[in-house]
Amino acid sequence: MATQRILDFLATRRPSGPCLVVDLDVVRDNFRAFEKAMPESKIYYAVKANPAPEILRLLASMGSSFDTASVAEVEMAMDAGAPAERISFGNTIKKERDIARAFALGIRLFAVDSVEEVEKIARAAPGARVFCRVLTDGEGAEWPLSRKFGCVPAMAVDVLRQAKALGLDAYGVSFHVGSQQVDLSAWDRALADAKMVFAKLAEEGITLGMVNMGGGFPTRYLRDVPAAQAYGQAIFEALSKHFGNNIPETIIEPGRGMVGNAGVIKSEVVLISKKADNDNLRWVFLDIGKFGGLAETMDEAIRYPIVTERDADEKSPCVLAGPTCDSADVMYEKTPYPLPLSLTIGDEVLIEGTGAYTTTYSSVAFNGFEPLRSYVI
Amino acid sequence: MATQRILDFLATRRPSGPCLVVDLDVVRDNFRAFEKAMPESKIYYAVKANPAPEILRLLASMGSSFDTASVAEVEMAMDAGAPAERISFGNTIKKERDIARAFALGIRLFAVDSVEEVEKIARAAPGARVFCRVLTDGEGAEWPLSRKFGCVPAMAVDVLRQAKALGLDAYGVSFHVGSQQVDLSAWDRALADAKMVFAKLAEEGITLGMVNMGGGFPTRYLRDVPAAQAYGQAIFEALSKHFGNNIPETIIEPGRGMVGNAGVIKSEVVLISKKADNDNLRWVFLDIGKFGGLAETMDEAIRYPIVTERDADEKSPCVLAGPTCDSADVMYEKTPYPLPLSLTIGDEVLIEGTGAYTTTYSSVAFNGFEPLRSYVI
């Protein structure tokens, strides 16, 4: 939801063109809610969700750790005041020279999901800690993770054994239940797999110490989602069930859950038209689309709340599209979006829950449009 | 295909990181081939395909006109030396203030597909020429255009009648058969629709003078496509069939057809791994993916030729994925890509036919990765 601070900013500054406004007060509240809900877990903010320096500085000052996807993100986190020991290089796909650069910067915690990656780390970051990502089924997530990251749990045992053999610190297991996960039992299933890896390696004398439970904590889009407290409770119960009195160190990596609901995109209606006179369906074209920051509408995966000043008026279904000459730049077509019949060219609309995965997804100059501007207040 | 000039550039300069290299000699040849195949048509290069200044300057110097999608693209074309009268504002979705800015720069040719857009142009660009885009079915295109642009032919009659009534020059009709169109009869069907609009308006005393046949001219990806000559011949026959001795002025807007085969992306294999020990499918991760310039692999729509130095070796199917922490960043998974069994982490690969729709699609900083670099030689 747009906070009063965001509404005041837009009313006062009247920025031209589409833009994202992020309210740091919401980020602060979210961080505290995660701390409260999961007091035993270390919070690694997923920098890729929104790397705005103001957000990174705030979280660094509150004691957050950081999950990074590249050397550039490592440097951003350090520039924001995070010491190297609070930064994880969480991408399982890394060039060996980037591992070496991160190691030189002091990074000692790396994600892997294959023996091949372990070998690179053993060469470029000798002695570092590694955790192996296991595949989860992603069921229940609105933005499922497919099979790109992780390996089956049996293979994770091999990967961590090899890490140990090559002089690395075989440190733990990670999983990701899928972004915007609303099924609480997903964590239970993943923790069962993690425990299996712990147990198999313990039989060989290798003691793991950490479970990285990833992200997936949802932000509020159109439906209510269980609040952070409920997630914390469910996850604590699953940890106790599988690990008993021997609960390992745990890490969480909220991204969307930390900043998603802190941001609102202001956009303008560029055109409202029909394709035929007898067509009931209106096409509404905004000055932002799939290539300008709303990439997560791909396959209509994420359905953002859209607020207009005419929401009290009667609504009818619209196809919602972006401003580029690309026919793929359509946000909602299979499931049209209800918008006020009185909506008019030139109207401003607010697209809520857009604090995560918008600015950096934006294309650099597609159709000559500049990337999404962002204001952090 | 990678030209010798591109191969020499890569061998000599050895640029680090993924990059696109475009050979201007190929662009020059393509422009001449279009001129030769369709000597009666004016060529409006679709700037959005690749707005590199070197490409725009070359084409401007050869006499090309330019199809633009935004005021920024209008300015790029003018900076490259194109006079305003050789520039069309071809986006049917324009803010009224952008129409006014383009008009102030001298632009007098605008695309529309609705009465609402006509009204904006009548206010912001009085007296300008407009052409109305009609919907085509896009059948046979590898990257179909859906219904985002254009209106049904009957509505185009209303739109152009209204343009005339508001003091604009009702100038013509446009269509786009879909990008990478390989079915030559698509132009015939679209020209039949165009002729219908001409005839209806002629009955009312409104004489249209131009047909904009859009783009859709394919570049060579994995399959051979009919060469420009065959397209020219088929289109000329369709024009004669529908317009007889009264063939109007015609415009074509090649984008992919002008620059697609002029560019090659150099990438590096970051990781090759499996998800389980008994898995036959390898996952090959490159340092470029869907968010780094290969957006057109969305839904596996476009299948680029990939060349390695080990192509003489036995091949097996691979899932091909990008380097980001985004599970959607997978190029080919439903139809795996055959790559050499001997392929090794650190190998360079060439992704051919990537001169169009790559650099500007690239995300601005997703996961901290910089946008795709480009060298025009």
Side-chain angles (χ1 to χ4, degrees), chain A residues 16-18 48 51 68-70 72-73 76 90-98 113-114 116-117 120 135 143-152 154-155 158 268 270-277 279 283 285-287 290-291 295-296 298-299 321-330 333 345 357 359-369 371, chain B residues 16-18 48 51 68-70 72-73 76 90-98 113-114 116-117 120 135 143-152 154-155 158 268 270-277 279 283 285-287 290-291 295-296 298-299 321-330 333 345 357 359-369 371:
Chain A
S16 162
K48 61 183 174 290
T68 62
S70 63
E73 286 194 353
M76 289 179 217
N91 193 340
T92 52
I93 309 150
K94 300 175 288 298
K95 289 182 182 172
E96 190 166 326
R97 57 186 182 272
D98 286 342
D113 66 1
S114 65
E116 291 79 3
E117 194 74 10
K120 288 188 228 166
L135 268 171
W143 184 253
L145 291 175
S146 86
R147 288 169 60 82
K148 183 173 175 187
F149 306 105
C151 59
V152 298
M155 194 167 132
D158 301 336
E268 176 182 333
V270 181
L271 179 66
I272 303 175
S273 64
K274 291 182 175 183
K275 297 294 161 191
D277 285 327
D279 211 342
W283 280 68
F285 299 91
L286 301 179
D287 64 359
K290 213 177 254 182
F291 301 104
E296 293 206 313
M298 205 191 293
D299 301 325
T324 66
C325 283
D326 192 310
S327 61
D329 186 15
V330 177
E333 184 172 15
I345 293 172
Y357 300 112
T359 47
T360 53
Y361 257 123
S362 177
S363 73
V364 64
F366 192 53
N367 276 221
F369 293 113
Chain B
S16 162
K48 59 183 174 291
T68 62
S70 63
E73 286 194 353
M76 288 179 218
N91 193 339
T92 53
I93 310 151
K94 299 174 288 299
K95 289 182 181 172
E96 190 166 325
R97 55 187 182 274
D98 287 342
D113 65 0
S114 65
E116 292 78 3
E117 193 74 10
K120 289 188 227 166
L135 269 171
W143 184 253
L145 291 174
S146 84
R147 288 170 59 83
K148 183 174 177 187
F149 305 105
C151 58
V152 298
M155 193 167 133
D158 302 337
E268 176 182 332
V270 180
L271 179 64
I272 303 174
S273 63
K274 292 182 175 182
K275 297 295 163 190
D277 285 327
D279 212 340
W283 280 67
F285 299 92
L286 300 180
D287 63 0
K290 213 177 252 180
F291 301 103
E296 292 206 313
M298 206 190 292
D299 300 325
T324 67
C325 283
D326 192 310
S327 62
D329 187 13
V330 177
E333 183 172 15
I345 293 171
Y357 300 112
T359 47
T360 54
Y361 258 124
S362 176
S363 73
V364 63
F366 191 54
N367 275 219
F369 292 112

Side-chain angles (χ1 to χ4, degrees), chain A residues 171-284:
Chain A
Y171 191 54
V173 169
S174 77
F175 56 80
H176 197 297
V177 292
S179 197
Q180 189 72 352
Q181 176 60 259
V182 292
D183 173 10
L184 288 166
S185 68
W187 275 268
D188 181 69
R189 292 193 301 276
L191 282 167
D193 286 342
K195 170 64 189 182
M196 188 280 280
V197 178
F198 270 65
K200 286 267 186 197
L201 286 166
E203 287 170 18
E204 306 178 19
I206 299 172
T207 310
L208 301 181
M210 183 271 278
V211 173
N212 177 339
M213 300 187 287
F217 309 96
T219 190
R220 198 183 165 285
Y221 290 106
L222 289 175
R223 299 179 288 152
D224 276 318
V225 291
Q229 290 282 126
Y231 275 84
Q233 186 60 30
I235 291 167
F236 180 76
E237 283 166 15
L239 276 167
S240 304
K241 171 176 152 194
H242 296 293
F243 289 90
N245 289 329
N246 250 327
I247 294 184
E249 175 191 340
T250 56
I251 280 176
I252 57 172
E253 297 173 334
R256 195 186 305 278
M258 189 74 83
V259 295
N261 69 341
V264 169
I265 285 173
K266 186 269 293 178
S267 175
E268 176 182 333
V269 176
V270 181
L271 179 66
I272 303 175
S273 64
K274 291 182 175 183
K275 297 294 161 191
D277 285 327
N278 57 359
D279 211 342
N280 283 321
L281 202 64
R282 288 174 298 159
W283 280 68
V284 173

Side-chain angles (χ1 to χ4, degrees), chain A residues 307-360:
Chain A
V307 175
T308 81
E309 288 186 2
R310 306 181 195 267
D311 288 340
D313 298 350
E314 194 188 341
K315 294 182 179 181
S316 81
C318 300
V319 177
L320 198 71
T324 66
C325 283
D326 192 310
S327 61
D329 186 15
V330 177
M331 280 83 82
Y332 304 119
E333 184 172 15
K334 276 177 276 176
T335 311
Y337 205 101
L339 288 171
L341 280 164
S342 54
L343 196 70
T344 302
I345 293 172
D347 280 1
E348 277 187 11
V349 303
L350 298 181
I351 309 172
E352 299 186 334
T354 44
Y357 300 112
T358 49
T359 47
T360 53

Side-chain angles (χ1 to χ4, degrees), chain A residues 31 41-47 59 63-68 84-89 109 129 131 171 210 212 214-215 217 249-255 258:
Chain A
F31 184 81
S41 292
K42 264 198 213 158
I43 301 170
Y44 281 68
Y45 171 61
V47 174
L59 291 172
S64 184
S65 296
F66 295 88
D67 163 46
T68 62
E85 57 271 22
R86 281 205 259 140
I87 299 173
S88 157
F89 199 154
L109 184 58
R129 286 179 160 172
F131 56 93
Y171 191 54
M210 183 271 278
N212 177 339
F217 309 96
E249 175 191 340
T250 56
I251 280 176
I252 57 172
E253 297 173 334
M258 189 74 83

